[in-house]
Short mmCIF file of all heavy atoms in Angstrom, two decimals:
data_model
loop_
_atom_site.label_atom_id
_atom_site.label_comp_id
_atom_site.label_asym_id
_atom_site.label_seq_id
_atom_site.Cartn_x
_atom_site.Cartn_y
_atom_site.Cartn_z
N MET Q 1 55.15 86.25 -31.76
CA MET Q 1 54.81 85.29 -30.75
C MET Q 1 53.53 85.85 -30.06
O MET Q 1 53.49 86.96 -29.71
CB MET Q 1 55.89 85.00 -29.67
CG MET Q 1 55.59 83.94 -28.85
SD MET Q 1 56.95 83.54 -27.64
CE MET Q 1 58.13 82.78 -28.80
N SER Q 2 52.58 84.92 -29.83
CA SER Q 2 51.26 85.35 -29.26
C SER Q 2 51.47 85.67 -27.70
O SER Q 2 52.35 85.10 -27.11
CB SER Q 2 50.16 84.37 -29.44
OG SER Q 2 50.31 83.28 -28.59
N THR Q 3 50.56 86.53 -27.22
CA THR Q 3 50.68 86.90 -25.86
C THR Q 3 50.30 85.68 -24.95
O THR Q 3 50.86 85.49 -23.95
CB THR Q 3 49.54 87.98 -25.53
OG1 THR Q 3 49.83 89.05 -26.42
CG2 THR Q 3 49.63 88.40 -24.13
N SER Q 4 49.45 84.74 -25.43
CA SER Q 4 49.04 83.63 -24.55
C SER Q 4 50.27 82.68 -24.36
O SER Q 4 50.41 81.97 -23.41
CB SER Q 4 47.91 82.80 -25.13
OG SER Q 4 48.16 82.26 -26.44
N LEU Q 5 51.16 82.63 -25.42
CA LEU Q 5 52.37 81.74 -25.30
C LEU Q 5 53.40 82.36 -24.33
O LEU Q 5 54.02 81.66 -23.56
CB LEU Q 5 53.04 81.53 -26.69
CG LEU Q 5 52.34 80.59 -27.61
CD1 LEU Q 5 53.09 80.61 -28.99
CD2 LEU Q 5 52.28 79.14 -27.08
N ILE Q 6 53.47 83.69 -24.33
CA ILE Q 6 54.40 84.38 -23.53
C ILE Q 6 53.98 84.34 -22.06
O ILE Q 6 54.77 83.99 -21.15
CB ILE Q 6 54.53 85.87 -23.98
CG1 ILE Q 6 55.17 85.94 -25.36
CG2 ILE Q 6 55.41 86.62 -22.94
CD1 ILE Q 6 55.18 87.24 -25.98
N LEU Q 7 52.60 84.49 -21.80
CA LEU Q 7 52.20 84.44 -20.42
C LEU Q 7 51.81 83.07 -19.94
O LEU Q 7 51.49 82.95 -18.73
CB LEU Q 7 50.88 85.41 -20.36
CG LEU Q 7 51.20 86.85 -20.64
CD1 LEU Q 7 49.82 87.65 -20.57
CD2 LEU Q 7 52.21 87.48 -19.69
N GLY Q 8 51.76 82.10 -20.82
CA GLY Q 8 51.47 80.73 -20.43
C GLY Q 8 49.98 80.52 -20.10
O GLY Q 8 49.58 79.75 -19.34
N ILE Q 9 49.08 81.30 -20.84
CA ILE Q 9 47.68 81.18 -20.60
C ILE Q 9 47.09 80.21 -21.54
O ILE Q 9 47.37 80.17 -22.69
CB ILE Q 9 47.04 82.55 -20.93
CG1 ILE Q 9 47.53 83.66 -20.01
CG2 ILE Q 9 45.50 82.50 -20.83
CD1 ILE Q 9 47.10 84.99 -20.34
N ASN Q 10 46.37 79.22 -21.00
CA ASN Q 10 45.81 78.10 -21.71
C ASN Q 10 44.41 78.59 -22.17
O ASN Q 10 43.47 78.77 -21.40
CB ASN Q 10 45.61 76.90 -20.83
CG ASN Q 10 45.05 75.73 -21.63
OD1 ASN Q 10 44.84 75.84 -22.80
ND2 ASN Q 10 44.90 74.60 -20.88
N THR Q 11 44.19 78.70 -23.54
CA THR Q 11 42.86 79.19 -23.98
C THR Q 11 42.21 78.04 -24.75
O THR Q 11 41.05 78.19 -25.33
CB THR Q 11 43.08 80.33 -25.02
OG1 THR Q 11 43.95 79.93 -26.01
CG2 THR Q 11 43.58 81.52 -24.19
N GLU Q 12 42.77 76.79 -24.78
CA GLU Q 12 42.18 75.62 -25.49
C GLU Q 12 41.13 74.91 -24.65
O GLU Q 12 41.35 74.85 -23.42
CB GLU Q 12 43.29 74.68 -25.84
CG GLU Q 12 44.30 75.24 -26.77
CD GLU Q 12 45.49 74.21 -27.09
OE1 GLU Q 12 45.22 73.27 -27.82
OE2 GLU Q 12 46.51 74.37 -26.48
N GLU Q 13 40.00 74.66 -25.24
CA GLU Q 13 38.96 73.95 -24.51
C GLU Q 13 38.94 72.47 -24.76
O GLU Q 13 39.29 72.05 -25.84
CB GLU Q 13 37.60 74.52 -24.90
CG GLU Q 13 37.36 75.89 -24.40
CD GLU Q 13 35.97 76.42 -24.62
OE1 GLU Q 13 35.03 75.58 -24.75
OE2 GLU Q 13 35.83 77.64 -24.68
N VAL Q 14 38.64 71.65 -23.75
CA VAL Q 14 38.47 70.24 -23.87
C VAL Q 14 37.13 69.84 -23.35
O VAL Q 14 36.46 70.67 -22.63
CB VAL Q 14 39.58 69.44 -23.05
CG1 VAL Q 14 40.90 69.71 -23.67
CG2 VAL Q 14 39.55 69.82 -21.61
N ASP Q 15 36.61 68.72 -23.75
CA ASP Q 15 35.31 68.17 -23.27
C ASP Q 15 35.43 67.85 -21.75
O ASP Q 15 36.46 67.58 -21.26
CB ASP Q 15 34.94 66.93 -24.02
CG ASP Q 15 34.76 67.19 -25.57
OD1 ASP Q 15 34.36 68.36 -25.85
OD2 ASP Q 15 34.88 66.22 -26.33
N GLY Q 16 34.28 67.88 -21.17
CA GLY Q 16 34.16 67.45 -19.75
C GLY Q 16 34.43 66.00 -19.61
O GLY Q 16 34.29 65.18 -20.49
N TYR Q 17 34.77 65.53 -18.38
CA TYR Q 17 35.05 64.09 -18.03
C TYR Q 17 34.78 63.81 -16.59
O TYR Q 17 34.76 64.78 -15.80
CB TYR Q 17 36.46 63.73 -18.51
CG TYR Q 17 37.51 64.59 -17.86
CD1 TYR Q 17 38.05 64.20 -16.67
CD2 TYR Q 17 38.05 65.70 -18.50
CE1 TYR Q 17 39.04 64.91 -16.09
CE2 TYR Q 17 39.09 66.43 -17.90
CZ TYR Q 17 39.49 66.07 -16.70
OH TYR Q 17 40.51 66.84 -16.12
N PHE Q 18 34.65 62.58 -16.31
CA PHE Q 18 34.42 62.10 -14.95
C PHE Q 18 35.50 61.07 -14.62
O PHE Q 18 35.80 60.19 -15.35
CB PHE Q 18 33.06 61.44 -14.84
CG PHE Q 18 32.84 60.78 -13.53
CD1 PHE Q 18 32.43 61.44 -12.37
CD2 PHE Q 18 32.96 59.42 -13.29
CE1 PHE Q 18 32.22 60.92 -11.14
CE2 PHE Q 18 32.76 58.77 -12.13
CZ PHE Q 18 32.40 59.54 -11.05
N LEU Q 19 36.16 61.35 -13.43
CA LEU Q 19 37.18 60.40 -12.93
C LEU Q 19 36.74 59.88 -11.52
O LEU Q 19 36.17 60.68 -10.74
CB LEU Q 19 38.52 61.06 -12.85
CG LEU Q 19 39.18 61.37 -14.09
CD1 LEU Q 19 40.55 62.08 -13.87
CD2 LEU Q 19 39.34 60.20 -15.00
N LEU Q 20 37.06 58.58 -11.26
CA LEU Q 20 36.77 58.17 -9.91
C LEU Q 20 38.07 57.60 -9.33
O LEU Q 20 38.72 56.76 -9.89
CB LEU Q 20 35.74 56.94 -10.01
CG LEU Q 20 35.35 56.25 -8.64
CD1 LEU Q 20 34.69 57.27 -7.77
CD2 LEU Q 20 34.46 55.12 -8.93
N ASN Q 21 38.53 58.21 -8.29
CA ASN Q 21 39.71 57.86 -7.55
C ASN Q 21 39.39 57.36 -6.19
O ASN Q 21 38.43 57.67 -5.60
CB ASN Q 21 40.69 59.06 -7.49
CG ASN Q 21 40.98 59.64 -8.81
OD1 ASN Q 21 41.17 58.92 -9.82
ND2 ASN Q 21 41.12 60.96 -8.94
N GLY Q 22 40.31 56.54 -5.60
CA GLY Q 22 40.10 56.01 -4.22
C GLY Q 22 41.48 55.85 -3.53
O GLY Q 22 42.51 55.79 -4.20
N ARG Q 23 41.38 55.90 -2.21
CA ARG Q 23 42.57 55.68 -1.39
C ARG Q 23 42.26 54.93 -0.12
O ARG Q 23 41.27 55.35 0.55
CB ARG Q 23 43.18 57.09 -1.09
CG ARG Q 23 44.48 57.07 -0.37
CD ARG Q 23 45.00 58.51 -0.13
NE ARG Q 23 46.42 58.59 0.17
CZ ARG Q 23 46.84 58.44 1.44
NH1 ARG Q 23 46.05 58.24 2.47
NH2 ARG Q 23 48.13 58.51 1.72
N LEU Q 24 43.01 54.00 0.17
CA LEU Q 24 42.93 53.24 1.40
C LEU Q 24 44.13 53.37 2.17
O LEU Q 24 45.25 53.38 1.62
CB LEU Q 24 42.60 51.72 1.19
CG LEU Q 24 41.40 51.32 0.40
CD1 LEU Q 24 41.41 49.85 0.03
CD2 LEU Q 24 40.17 51.61 1.30
N SER Q 25 44.07 53.55 3.56
CA SER Q 25 45.29 53.72 4.35
C SER Q 25 45.06 52.89 5.61
O SER Q 25 44.00 52.74 6.10
CB SER Q 25 45.61 55.15 4.54
OG SER Q 25 44.61 55.71 5.36
N TYR Q 26 46.18 52.49 6.21
CA TYR Q 26 46.27 51.86 7.49
C TYR Q 26 47.31 52.53 8.31
O TYR Q 26 48.47 52.62 7.92
CB TYR Q 26 46.62 50.32 7.29
CG TYR Q 26 46.60 49.52 8.53
CD1 TYR Q 26 45.49 49.20 9.18
CD2 TYR Q 26 47.84 49.28 9.14
CE1 TYR Q 26 45.43 48.45 10.31
CE2 TYR Q 26 47.94 48.51 10.31
CZ TYR Q 26 46.66 48.14 10.94
OH TYR Q 26 46.72 47.33 12.13
N ALA Q 27 46.87 53.03 9.52
CA ALA Q 27 47.76 53.72 10.38
C ALA Q 27 48.86 52.80 10.94
O ALA Q 27 48.54 51.68 11.25
CB ALA Q 27 46.95 54.34 11.50
N LEU Q 28 50.05 53.32 11.06
CA LEU Q 28 51.22 52.55 11.77
C LEU Q 28 51.68 53.29 12.86
O LEU Q 28 52.85 53.87 12.81
CB LEU Q 28 52.28 52.40 10.62
CG LEU Q 28 51.87 51.60 9.36
CD1 LEU Q 28 53.01 51.66 8.32
CD2 LEU Q 28 51.56 50.14 9.71
N PRO Q 29 50.97 53.41 13.97
CA PRO Q 29 51.42 54.20 15.13
C PRO Q 29 52.63 53.64 15.86
O PRO Q 29 53.30 54.28 16.59
CB PRO Q 29 50.21 54.17 16.07
CG PRO Q 29 49.43 52.93 15.66
CD PRO Q 29 49.70 52.71 14.15
N MET Q 30 52.96 52.30 15.57
CA MET Q 30 54.15 51.67 16.16
C MET Q 30 55.45 52.33 15.61
O MET Q 30 56.45 52.29 16.21
CB MET Q 30 54.22 50.21 15.98
CG MET Q 30 54.29 49.73 14.55
SD MET Q 30 52.88 49.88 13.55
CE MET Q 30 51.91 48.53 13.90
N LEU Q 31 55.31 52.88 14.36
CA LEU Q 31 56.54 53.56 13.81
C LEU Q 31 56.63 55.00 14.27
O LEU Q 31 57.70 55.44 14.79
CB LEU Q 31 56.48 53.59 12.25
CG LEU Q 31 56.53 52.16 11.58
CD1 LEU Q 31 56.40 52.38 10.04
CD2 LEU Q 31 57.76 51.46 12.00
N ALA Q 32 55.54 55.67 14.12
CA ALA Q 32 55.39 57.16 14.66
C ALA Q 32 54.04 57.56 14.41
O ALA Q 32 53.34 57.12 13.52
CB ALA Q 32 56.36 58.01 13.81
N GLU Q 33 53.53 58.47 15.28
CA GLU Q 33 52.18 58.99 15.14
C GLU Q 33 52.05 59.72 13.82
O GLU Q 33 52.90 60.52 13.41
CB GLU Q 33 51.88 59.97 16.29
CG GLU Q 33 50.46 60.41 16.27
CD GLU Q 33 50.13 61.38 17.42
OE1 GLU Q 33 50.82 61.32 18.47
OE2 GLU Q 33 49.28 62.24 17.22
N GLY Q 34 51.01 59.36 12.98
CA GLY Q 34 50.85 59.96 11.71
C GLY Q 34 51.38 59.14 10.57
O GLY Q 34 51.21 59.48 9.42
N SER Q 35 52.11 58.05 10.86
CA SER Q 35 52.70 57.20 9.84
C SER Q 35 51.56 56.22 9.36
O SER Q 35 50.65 55.88 10.05
CB SER Q 35 53.81 56.34 10.36
OG SER Q 35 54.86 57.24 10.72
N GLU Q 36 51.62 55.87 8.07
CA GLU Q 36 50.66 55.00 7.44
C GLU Q 36 51.27 54.24 6.23
O GLU Q 36 52.22 54.68 5.70
CB GLU Q 36 49.42 55.79 7.07
CG GLU Q 36 49.68 56.76 5.85
CD GLU Q 36 48.44 57.60 5.48
OE1 GLU Q 36 47.40 57.43 6.09
OE2 GLU Q 36 48.63 58.35 4.58
N VAL Q 37 50.58 53.14 5.86
CA VAL Q 37 50.79 52.47 4.57
C VAL Q 37 49.55 52.73 3.83
O VAL Q 37 48.42 52.80 4.38
CB VAL Q 37 51.13 51.00 4.69
CG1 VAL Q 37 49.94 50.26 5.43
CG2 VAL Q 37 51.46 50.34 3.46
N PHE Q 38 49.68 52.92 2.39
CA PHE Q 38 48.49 53.29 1.72
C PHE Q 38 48.44 52.62 0.30
O PHE Q 38 49.49 52.25 -0.17
CB PHE Q 38 48.30 54.82 1.53
CG PHE Q 38 49.39 55.47 0.70
CD1 PHE Q 38 49.20 55.49 -0.70
CD2 PHE Q 38 50.57 55.85 1.23
CE1 PHE Q 38 50.21 56.15 -1.51
CE2 PHE Q 38 51.58 56.50 0.42
CZ PHE Q 38 51.33 56.57 -0.97
N LEU Q 39 47.26 52.51 -0.22
CA LEU Q 39 47.02 52.10 -1.62
C LEU Q 39 46.13 53.12 -2.24
O LEU Q 39 45.02 53.43 -1.71
CB LEU Q 39 46.35 50.80 -1.66
CG LEU Q 39 45.86 50.25 -3.07
CD1 LEU Q 39 47.03 50.07 -3.94
CD2 LEU Q 39 45.05 49.01 -2.89
N ALA Q 40 46.59 53.78 -3.30
CA ALA Q 40 45.87 54.80 -3.97
C ALA Q 40 45.52 54.31 -5.41
O ALA Q 40 46.46 53.77 -6.11
CB ALA Q 40 46.61 56.18 -4.07
N LEU Q 41 44.33 54.39 -5.85
CA LEU Q 41 43.89 54.03 -7.14
C LEU Q 41 43.31 55.25 -7.89
O LEU Q 41 42.40 55.92 -7.30
CB LEU Q 41 42.81 52.88 -7.19
CG LEU Q 41 43.31 51.59 -6.50
CD1 LEU Q 41 42.19 50.63 -6.24
CD2 LEU Q 41 44.43 50.92 -7.31
N GLU Q 42 43.73 55.47 -9.11
CA GLU Q 42 43.26 56.65 -9.87
C GLU Q 42 42.60 56.13 -11.18
O GLU Q 42 43.03 55.15 -11.76
CB GLU Q 42 44.34 57.56 -10.18
CG GLU Q 42 44.88 58.19 -8.89
CD GLU Q 42 46.01 59.31 -9.21
OE1 GLU Q 42 46.42 59.44 -10.31
OE2 GLU Q 42 46.39 59.86 -8.18
N ASN Q 43 41.53 56.76 -11.52
CA ASN Q 43 40.80 56.41 -12.76
C ASN Q 43 40.24 54.98 -12.73
O ASN Q 43 40.53 54.10 -13.64
CB ASN Q 43 41.57 56.66 -14.09
CG ASN Q 43 40.83 56.66 -15.27
OD1 ASN Q 43 39.57 56.65 -15.27
ND2 ASN Q 43 41.53 56.82 -16.45
N LEU Q 44 39.49 54.69 -11.66
CA LEU Q 44 38.98 53.38 -11.50
C LEU Q 44 38.00 52.96 -12.55
O LEU Q 44 37.88 51.72 -12.78
CB LEU Q 44 38.24 53.32 -10.09
CG LEU Q 44 39.11 53.36 -8.85
CD1 LEU Q 44 38.29 53.56 -7.63
CD2 LEU Q 44 39.99 52.15 -8.82
N THR Q 45 37.44 53.80 -13.27
CA THR Q 45 36.51 53.49 -14.38
C THR Q 45 37.30 53.21 -15.66
O THR Q 45 36.65 52.86 -16.70
CB THR Q 45 35.45 54.57 -14.60
OG1 THR Q 45 36.13 55.75 -14.96
CG2 THR Q 45 34.59 54.76 -13.42
N ASN Q 46 38.64 53.36 -15.66
CA ASN Q 46 39.49 53.11 -16.82
C ASN Q 46 39.08 53.93 -18.00
O ASN Q 46 39.14 53.50 -19.14
CB ASN Q 46 39.59 51.65 -17.16
CG ASN Q 46 40.70 51.30 -18.06
OD1 ASN Q 46 41.84 51.94 -17.89
ND2 ASN Q 46 40.64 50.36 -18.94
N ASN Q 47 38.70 55.19 -17.67
CA ASN Q 47 38.31 56.16 -18.74
C ASN Q 47 39.53 56.65 -19.42
O ASN Q 47 40.30 57.37 -18.88
CB ASN Q 47 37.48 57.26 -18.14
CG ASN Q 47 37.12 58.35 -19.17
OD1 ASN Q 47 37.26 58.10 -20.35
ND2 ASN Q 47 36.58 59.44 -18.65
N THR Q 48 39.76 56.26 -20.72
CA THR Q 48 40.97 56.76 -21.39
C THR Q 48 40.61 57.83 -22.45
O THR Q 48 41.40 58.24 -23.22
CB THR Q 48 41.79 55.61 -22.10
OG1 THR Q 48 40.85 54.91 -22.93
CG2 THR Q 48 42.25 54.65 -21.12
N ASP Q 49 39.28 58.14 -22.53
CA ASP Q 49 38.79 59.04 -23.56
C ASP Q 49 38.65 60.49 -22.98
O ASP Q 49 37.65 61.13 -23.10
CB ASP Q 49 37.46 58.63 -24.03
CG ASP Q 49 37.09 59.31 -25.30
OD1 ASP Q 49 37.81 59.84 -25.97
OD2 ASP Q 49 35.83 59.47 -25.48
N TYR Q 50 39.76 60.95 -22.28
CA TYR Q 50 39.79 62.30 -21.81
C TYR Q 50 41.08 62.91 -22.03
O TYR Q 50 42.07 62.27 -22.09
CB TYR Q 50 39.27 62.39 -20.36
CG TYR Q 50 40.18 61.85 -19.28
CD1 TYR Q 50 40.97 62.81 -18.63
CD2 TYR Q 50 40.42 60.53 -19.04
CE1 TYR Q 50 41.86 62.36 -17.63
CE2 TYR Q 50 41.35 60.15 -18.09
CZ TYR Q 50 42.08 61.05 -17.45
OH TYR Q 50 42.92 60.62 -16.45
N GLU Q 51 41.16 64.24 -21.98
CA GLU Q 51 42.45 64.97 -22.16
C GLU Q 51 42.44 66.21 -21.35
O GLU Q 51 41.39 66.91 -21.27
CB GLU Q 51 42.61 65.32 -23.58
CG GLU Q 51 42.65 64.11 -24.53
CD GLU Q 51 42.63 64.59 -25.99
OE1 GLU Q 51 42.26 65.76 -26.26
OE2 GLU Q 51 43.15 63.81 -26.84
N TYR Q 52 43.49 66.52 -20.63
CA TYR Q 52 43.64 67.77 -19.91
C TYR Q 52 43.90 68.92 -21.00
O TYR Q 52 43.52 70.02 -20.80
CB TYR Q 52 44.78 67.85 -18.90
CG TYR Q 52 44.48 67.10 -17.67
CD1 TYR Q 52 45.47 66.26 -17.13
CD2 TYR Q 52 43.33 67.23 -16.99
CE1 TYR Q 52 45.24 65.62 -15.93
CE2 TYR Q 52 43.08 66.55 -15.85
CZ TYR Q 52 44.00 65.75 -15.27
OH TYR Q 52 43.75 65.07 -14.12
N ARG Q 53 44.62 68.51 -22.05
CA ARG Q 53 44.98 69.40 -23.16
C ARG Q 53 44.68 68.70 -24.45
O ARG Q 53 44.90 67.47 -24.42
CB ARG Q 53 46.32 69.94 -23.14
CG ARG Q 53 46.65 70.81 -21.90
CD ARG Q 53 48.01 71.46 -22.03
NE ARG Q 53 48.04 72.32 -23.22
CZ ARG Q 53 49.15 72.73 -23.74
NH1 ARG Q 53 50.28 72.38 -23.24
NH2 ARG Q 53 49.07 73.49 -24.79
N PRO Q 54 44.27 69.30 -25.48
CA PRO Q 54 43.99 68.62 -26.75
C PRO Q 54 45.38 67.85 -27.27
O PRO Q 54 46.39 68.37 -27.10
CB PRO Q 54 43.65 69.80 -27.73
CG PRO Q 54 43.14 70.83 -26.87
CD PRO Q 54 43.89 70.76 -25.56
N ASP Q 55 45.12 66.59 -27.65
CA ASP Q 55 46.16 65.77 -28.17
C ASP Q 55 47.12 65.23 -27.10
O ASP Q 55 48.26 64.85 -27.49
CB ASP Q 55 46.90 66.47 -29.31
CG ASP Q 55 45.98 66.84 -30.47
OD1 ASP Q 55 45.12 66.01 -30.76
OD2 ASP Q 55 46.16 67.89 -31.07
N TYR Q 56 46.80 65.28 -25.86
CA TYR Q 56 47.59 64.74 -24.78
C TYR Q 56 46.69 63.69 -23.99
O TYR Q 56 46.15 64.07 -22.95
CB TYR Q 56 48.12 65.87 -23.85
CG TYR Q 56 49.20 66.63 -24.34
CD1 TYR Q 56 48.94 67.79 -25.14
CD2 TYR Q 56 50.49 66.23 -24.35
CE1 TYR Q 56 49.96 68.60 -25.72
CE2 TYR Q 56 51.52 66.98 -24.82
CZ TYR Q 56 51.25 68.14 -25.58
OH TYR Q 56 52.20 68.91 -26.15
N PRO Q 57 46.55 62.55 -24.53
CA PRO Q 57 45.67 61.57 -23.84
C PRO Q 57 46.15 61.18 -22.54
O PRO Q 57 47.42 61.24 -22.15
CB PRO Q 57 45.67 60.38 -24.83
CG PRO Q 57 46.90 60.50 -25.66
CD PRO Q 57 47.15 61.95 -25.72
N MET Q 58 45.29 60.84 -21.58
CA MET Q 58 45.65 60.48 -20.18
C MET Q 58 45.65 58.95 -20.01
O MET Q 58 44.99 58.20 -20.75
CB MET Q 58 44.61 61.18 -19.28
CG MET Q 58 44.57 62.76 -19.42
SD MET Q 58 46.14 63.49 -19.26
CE MET Q 58 46.48 63.23 -17.51
N PRO Q 59 46.34 58.50 -18.97
CA PRO Q 59 46.49 57.08 -18.73
C PRO Q 59 45.07 56.46 -18.25
O PRO Q 59 44.27 57.15 -17.73
CB PRO Q 59 47.54 56.90 -17.65
CG PRO Q 59 47.44 58.25 -16.94
CD PRO Q 59 47.07 59.26 -17.96
N GLY Q 60 45.04 55.08 -18.31
CA GLY Q 60 43.97 54.40 -17.72
C GLY Q 60 44.13 54.32 -16.19
O GLY Q 60 44.74 55.10 -15.64
N THR Q 61 43.58 53.19 -15.74
CA THR Q 61 43.70 52.97 -14.23
C THR Q 61 45.20 52.86 -13.80
O THR Q 61 46.00 52.19 -14.39
CB THR Q 61 42.94 51.73 -13.77
OG1 THR Q 61 41.63 51.83 -14.27
CG2 THR Q 61 43.07 51.50 -12.39
N THR Q 62 45.46 53.55 -12.73
CA THR Q 62 46.88 53.44 -12.12
C THR Q 62 46.78 53.21 -10.65
O THR Q 62 45.82 53.56 -10.01
CB THR Q 62 47.70 54.79 -12.35
OG1 THR Q 62 46.94 55.82 -11.78
CG2 THR Q 62 47.93 55.03 -13.79
N ALA Q 63 47.80 52.52 -10.10
CA ALA Q 63 47.78 52.20 -8.65
C ALA Q 63 49.15 52.69 -8.05
O ALA Q 63 50.14 52.60 -8.75
CB ALA Q 63 47.62 50.73 -8.45
N MET Q 64 49.07 53.06 -6.80
CA MET Q 64 50.25 53.55 -6.04
C MET Q 64 50.19 52.83 -4.68
O MET Q 64 49.15 52.97 -4.02
CB MET Q 64 50.32 54.98 -5.94
CG MET Q 64 50.58 55.73 -7.22
SD MET Q 64 50.47 57.46 -7.07
CE MET Q 64 48.67 57.64 -7.29
N LEU Q 65 51.27 52.19 -4.27
CA LEU Q 65 51.36 51.65 -2.95
C LEU Q 65 52.53 52.36 -2.23
O LEU Q 65 53.62 52.50 -2.86
CB LEU Q 65 51.62 50.17 -3.06
CG LEU Q 65 51.82 49.42 -1.79
CD1 LEU Q 65 50.56 49.46 -0.93
CD2 LEU Q 65 52.28 47.94 -2.03
N GLY Q 66 52.35 52.79 -1.12
CA GLY Q 66 53.37 53.57 -0.43
C GLY Q 66 53.30 53.63 1.11
O GLY Q 66 52.33 53.12 1.73
N VAL Q 67 54.27 54.28 1.66
CA VAL Q 67 54.39 54.44 3.13
C VAL Q 67 54.59 55.86 3.42
O VAL Q 67 55.49 56.51 2.83
CB VAL Q 67 55.47 53.60 3.74
CG1 VAL Q 67 55.57 53.87 5.26
CG2 VAL Q 67 55.21 52.12 3.50
N ASN Q 68 53.88 56.51 4.24
CA ASN Q 68 54.17 57.86 4.78
C ASN Q 68 54.63 57.77 6.19
O ASN Q 68 53.98 57.18 7.02
CB ASN Q 68 52.82 58.70 4.75
CG ASN Q 68 52.42 59.14 3.44
OD1 ASN Q 68 53.20 59.44 2.56
ND2 ASN Q 68 51.13 59.23 3.23
N LEU Q 69 55.84 58.31 6.39
CA LEU Q 69 56.44 58.27 7.74
C LEU Q 69 56.38 59.67 8.28
O LEU Q 69 56.84 60.57 7.63
CB LEU Q 69 57.85 57.76 7.66
CG LEU Q 69 58.02 56.32 7.16
CD1 LEU Q 69 59.56 56.04 7.08
CD2 LEU Q 69 57.37 55.39 8.21
N ALA Q 70 55.96 59.86 9.48
CA ALA Q 70 55.92 61.10 10.19
C ALA Q 70 57.08 61.16 11.10
O ALA Q 70 57.11 60.43 12.12
CB ALA Q 70 54.65 61.27 10.98
N LEU Q 71 58.09 61.97 10.78
CA LEU Q 71 59.30 62.08 11.60
C LEU Q 71 59.15 63.25 12.53
O LEU Q 71 58.92 64.38 12.04
CB LEU Q 71 60.51 62.17 10.68
CG LEU Q 71 60.68 60.94 9.69
CD1 LEU Q 71 61.84 61.30 8.79
CD2 LEU Q 71 60.82 59.65 10.41
N ARG Q 72 59.33 63.06 13.80
CA ARG Q 72 59.08 64.15 14.70
C ARG Q 72 60.22 64.19 15.64
O ARG Q 72 60.92 63.31 16.04
CB ARG Q 72 57.80 64.01 15.48
CG ARG Q 72 56.68 64.09 14.54
CD ARG Q 72 55.44 63.72 15.26
NE ARG Q 72 54.38 63.54 14.19
CZ ARG Q 72 53.32 64.13 14.07
NH1 ARG Q 72 53.00 65.03 14.87
NH2 ARG Q 72 52.46 63.80 13.03
#
């Protein structure tokens, strides 16, 4: 077994890539200070021709809608 497999060292190279991500949020102070509702968008350019590791393609545009509650 190779040393890189045992130590978990990644020696594989991939091409460079550009990603554009964005996040909008709206404060909800009526719930608690620091609380918010948010919309996060990742890979806005829908670039599907990139990989963190060879042969593991990445997803296109994704969206997340959520609430962060600050409990104090």
Side-chain angles (χ1 to χ4, degrees):
M1 187 175 288
S2 78
T3 305
S4 63
L5 285 176
I6 294 170
L7 298 177
I9 299 170
N10 183 5
T11 59
E12 299 176 75
E13 290 189 24
V14 296
D15 294 333
Y17 56 88
F18 172 80
L19 292 179
L20 180 62
N21 302 325
R23 186 176 192 276
L24 297 171
S25 65
Y26 181 77
L28 299 172
M30 66 289 273
L31 295 179
E33 185 179 332
S35 296
E36 66 180 3
V37 61
F38 69 89
L39 171 65
L41 301 169
E42 296 184 351
N43 195 4
L44 290 169
T45 59
N46 200 30
N47 177 11
T48 57
D49 190 30
Y50 75 101
E51 301 172 336
Y52 285 137
R53 294 192 59 200
D55 300 321
Y56 288 89
M58 301 306 291
T61 301
T62 57
M64 292 172 275
L65 179 64
V67 176
N68 285 326
L69 296 175
L71 304 175
R72 296 170 198 241

